[in-house]
Amino acid sequence: MERLLEPLILGRVIGDVLDFFSPTIKMSVTYNGNRLVYNGREFCPSAVDTRPRVEIQGGDMRTFYTLVMIDPDVPGPSDPYLKEHLHWLVTDIPGTTDATFGRELEIYEIPKPNIGIHRFVFALFKQKGRQTVHKPPASRDNFSTRAFAAENDLDLPVAALFFNARRETAARRR
């Protein structure tokens, strides 16, 4: 699973958003039933306008996870002064299931990049137990994945993925 880190390092996800970690769980993210997210893939915002299916493979039903989806490039990659923007937060996801079985603390917010190419990062954390993450952050802007993990006694991520998206013009929509 170590080679899974290479695109996260090249895409500056490790560094900008996450510290170096060793993946221990396989996570898959799929939009609209057939659009699989892999690191660095580009999507049009209209292709990711519904909550994705996030599947956790390799865990067990006694282990619970927290999923964080953020955009570290808000309002734009050259001056991301609102980074990170929280798009989705789900806790208490049982291992070997998907995020729909978890507790949604922040509902899915559709990616809407305005300036430049934005990275949208999914980070999965193993919880110490069930219901250890209690409240959503005060704001979606200026969210810090690292601070959130520390405040909720979450260790380093066990899996992460990201995709890219840019503003969709009327001519590009299909």
Side-chain angles (χ1 to χ4, degrees):
M1 288 206 196
E2 290 296 328
R3 71 174 214 269
L4 296 175
L5 292 179
E6 224 173 276
L8 295 171
I9 294 168
L10 292 173
R12 296 181 343 267
V13 171
I14 292 179
D16 288 356
V17 179
L18 304 171
D19 293 325
F20 188 85
F21 70 97
S22 294
T24 57
I25 293 292
K26 185 167 176 19
M27 172 178 65
S28 65
V29 179
T30 309
Y31 281 94
N32 300 316
N34 63 354
R35 294 182 176 167
L36 187 64
V37 172
Y38 54 81
N39 288 318
R41 183 175 183 179
E42 187 167 328
F43 284 102
C44 294
S46 61
V48 293
D49 63 355
T50 59
R51 184 174 70 183
R53 179 175 177 87
V54 178
E55 293 181 271
I56 300 167
Q57 301 158 4
D60 61 60
M61 294 301 285
R62 297 178 310 260
T63 307
F64 296 91
Y65 297 91
T66 293
L67 176 72
V68 176
M69 179 189 175
I70 60 100
D71 176 355
D73 302 315
V74 174
S78 62
D79 187 20
Y81 64 87
L82 293 176
K83 74 173 178 182
E84 303 162 13
H85 182 82
L86 179 63
H87 278 269
W88 197 23
L89 178 58
V90 185
T91 66
D92 297 330
I93 305 166
T96 71
T97 64
D98 65 74
T100 57
F101 289 94
R103 186 168 56 120
E104 198 171 45
L105 292 184
E106 289 287 351
I107 63 169
Y108 181 76
E109 183 180 274
I110 299 167
K112 294 180 184 175
N114 286 326
I115 303 165
I117 298 171
H118 289 236
R119 296 166 292 166
F120 294 88
V121 179
F122 295 90
L124 187 70
F125 296 89
K126 183 178 176 182
Q127 296 175 201
K128 302 281 189 223
R130 190 173 193 170
Q131 297 182 347
T132 56
V133 178
H134 296 288
K135 61 181 181 175
S139 172
R140 286 184 184 246
D141 287 329
N142 296 305
F143 180 81
S144 169
T145 302
R146 286 181 179 103
F148 175 80
E151 290 164 7
N152 289 282
D153 200 22
L154 302 170
D155 290 325
L156 292 171
V158 294
L161 287 169
F162 81 101
F163 69 88
N164 296 315
R166 70 178 80 205
R167 184 177 179 184
E168 191 167 6
T169 62
R172 287 185 72 189
R173 290 185 187 162
R174 290 181 195 190

